[in-house]
Every structure is written in structure tokens, then in C-alpha cells.
Amino acid sequence: MIEEFQISTKSREEVVVITRRVEEIVAKSGVKNGLALVYVPHATAAVVLNEDEPRLREDILNKVKSLFPRGAGYRHDEIDHNANAHLASVFLGPFVVMPVVGGRLARGTWQDVMLVEMDGPRTRRVVVVVLGQA
Ligand code: ZN
């Protein structure tokens, strides 16, 4: 099953928790055991798996911004001034793959699925692919 939804981000950099949306799609898929891919078809956003805690979300954004500061002399900035967001997407990655066990995402207690926006505000597509045995 392949399904997608949209997220409208509100800031240039933002972490948006999308676990519930993904879990709804997994439940609807009818897959009991298999894999779920959560993917963003974007070059300046990413998907990560970590703890949904407000201060940690802030820490993630601060670390991404310090690792990939805006306007640090990147070549791509000659085109559209968002090279830092592209670089962050390269290093964080545009997807996560998770096991589906017993019809549910097999995630750890402190693992939530989060979209990391680095060039917002924009409308982002999130594609979820659920594969496995019904
Ligand atoms: Zn660009």
C-alpha cells in the first residue's frame, strides 16, 4: 500500500511529529508483519526517528543549524540560497524504514517519526509505503 499526506510547515526550520499519521496508514494497510517506509520527495527536508520531546526538538534544530549554517559560502547559494538545507537533507536523509509487527509500527518507547523542515515554510509531501503479509 502506498499513501501520502501533506504537512504545511510554518517556519524556516521546524521539526514536525508525524507518527500518528503514519500509524493510521499502517493500520489501514492491513499489513501485520512487514516494513513501513516513510519518505519525503524533497531535497531540503528530512525524516528522522527520535524522541518527541520539545527541548530535544529544539536541540535537533540547533544542531542542524550549527552543522549547516546558512550562507557559509556554498556554491549552490549562487542559485537559490538554500544550500545549507540541501546539505542537512543529504546528511539526515529523506526517509526512515521501520518494522511492522503485529499490525503496528515496531518503534521504541522514545521513538517518534519526525519530519525535519529546513527550508520552510512550505507544503511537504510525506509518502508512506507499507509492505508485508496481511
Ligand atoms: Zn536549492
Side-chain angles (χ1 to χ4, degrees):
M1 175 192 210
I2 302 179
E3 196 163 306
E4 68 176 71
F5 58 89
Q6 294 189 336
I7 295 287
S8 295
T9 58
K10 295 172 183 64
S11 312
R12 182 164 180 111
E13 289 102 358
E14 188 177 348
V15 174
V16 183
V17 179
I18 57 174
T19 311
R20 198 166 306 248
R21 305 289 296 271
V22 175
E23 285 185 330
E24 284 167 8
I25 294 170
V26 170
K28 197 168 127 188
S29 75
V31 169
K32 295 295 175 223
N33 295 297
L35 291 173
L37 165 74
V38 184
Y39 168 78
V40 284
H42 302 289
T44 55
V47 181
V48 299
L49 199 55
N50 218 287
E51 185 178 354
D52 173 19
E53 194 282 308
R55 288 156 295 191
L56 181 63
R57 293 204 304 267
E58 206 174 310
D59 289 335
I60 292 168
L61 287 181
N62 287 338
K63 180 53 74 177
V64 167
K65 287 192 269 187
S66 71
L67 287 171
F68 307 102
R70 289 175 67 185
Y74 308 112
R75 299 292 317 280
H76 180 74
D77 282 346
E78 294 165 17
I79 298 167
D80 66 356
H81 305 287
N82 63 357
N84 71 307
H86 286 277
L87 289 170
S89 175
V90 166
F91 282 85
L92 294 176
F95 67 90
V96 296
V97 179
M98 301 172 67
V100 173
V101 178
R104 304 193 56 184
L105 279 181
R107 59 190 178 91
T109 307
W110 309 114
Q111 285 184 315
D112 271 88
V113 188
M114 302 186 276
L115 178 143
V116 183
E117 172 64 84
M118 287 159 303
D119 194 29
R122 289 174 187 244
T123 299
R124 298 299 195 173
R125 291 168 55 206
V126 180
V127 179
V128 180
V129 181
V130 189
L131 296 175
Q133 301 168 321

